Amino acid sequence: MLTALFSVLALGFLLGMRHATDPDHVVAVTTIVSQQRSLARAARTGVLWGIGHTATILLVGGAIIVLRVQLDGIPPRVGLSLEFAVAVMLVVLGLLTLAGGERRVADSTARPLTVGFVHGLAGSAAVATLPQVALIPDPPRAVGYLTVFGVGTIAGMLLVTASIAAPALFASRRFVGMNRTLRIASGVASIAFGLVLAHRIGFVDGLFTASPEWTPH
């Protein structure tokens, strides 16, 4: 039993690391990391994002587990609205990045925490209903799985931000104006990704139609 539980927890850690590499996560963090001036601050951004994300997963996902809420009990429009909030946030992050003069905001603690928290709202239901969680009948241990998953997400985002920041910092120190180019590129990418995501959620998945269909992911 202990061996099986350890295996599930180890899998949760690895899945948490993989979860950190989801495209919308990477795009959001890149807009912040593009304005950092050191590898340590970039890594700090990743950790803060992961902490905010994990906090939401524990709060919402834990409630889903403890209260035994079924996915069909969550209105599709509610789930889609949470995901739509992520799309709006990506557009806002892109606009803020393009506005420039973001050094003070980039060094803040609140921004990556808030971004991670919003991302967690959109993904908590999917994480809390993973097959691995279903294998753990005891709610406290299932919440423990979410905690390990969150720690894996923090570790994964730490690696992601460091891998993004290292070459960007090297290039910006070697080539004049490269930092501005990277900032503009990340801002445009964030806006474009957010708009595409908003269209998919709003019209393909049906948030703004009469028959919304929601599949947590």
Side-chain angles (χ1 to χ4, degrees):
M1 180 65 182
L2 288 177
T3 302
L5 180 60
F6 177 80
S7 299
V8 171
L9 292 178
L11 179 61
F13 181 83
L14 294 176
L15 288 176
M17 293 190 69
R18 194 218 63 79
H19 182 66
T21 64
D22 284 355
D24 58 325
H25 298 167
V26 175
V27 170
V29 171
T30 300
T31 60
I32 305 175
V33 171
S34 67
Q35 300 168 68
Q36 301 290 358
R37 299 296 184 271
S38 73
L39 189 60
R41 286 190 177 279
R44 172 178 172 270
T45 294
V47 170
L48 289 172
W49 182 96
I51 291 174
H53 189 276
T54 300
T56 319
I57 286 180
L58 288 177
L59 289 173
V60 181
I64 290 175
I65 290 174
V66 173
L67 299 177
R68 301 185 184 281
V69 176
Q70 300 298 319
L71 280 183
D72 54 12
I74 302 175
R77 207 172 296 277
V78 172
L80 289 174
S81 296
L82 292 175
E83 294 186 4
F84 190 78
V86 173
V88 173
M89 181 187 64
L90 288 172
V91 174
V92 172
L93 281 174
L95 292 173
L96 289 174
T97 302
L98 292 179
E102 287 283 297
R103 181 67 180 274
R104 177 178 59 82
V105 178
D107 290 344
S108 74
T109 299
R111 185 174 178 183
L113 276 173
T114 302
V115 173
F117 194 86
V118 173
H119 269 112
L121 282 175
S124 295
V127 173
T129 53
L130 285 172
Q132 293 84 354
V133 179
L135 293 175
I136 308 176
D138 184 34
R141 291 185 179 181
V143 173
Y145 172 88
L146 292 186
T147 303
V148 174
F149 182 95
V151 172
T153 301
I154 294 173
M157 189 52 72
L158 170 63
L159 294 176
V160 168
T161 51
S163 64
I164 293 173
L169 289 170
F170 176 79
S172 63
R173 290 169 181 171
R174 289 287 301 272
F175 304 102
V176 178
M178 180 59 71
N179 187 69
R180 181 173 180 274
T181 300
L182 291 174
R183 178 172 59 81
I184 293 174
S186 65
V188 171
S190 184
I191 293 172
F193 193 90
L195 291 175
V196 171
L197 190 61
H199 177 269
R200 178 182 65 78
I201 295 169
F203 299 100
V204 178
D205 295 338
L207 175 60
F208 301 136
T209 67
S211 303
E213 296 182 1
W214 177 56
T215 302
H217 53 273

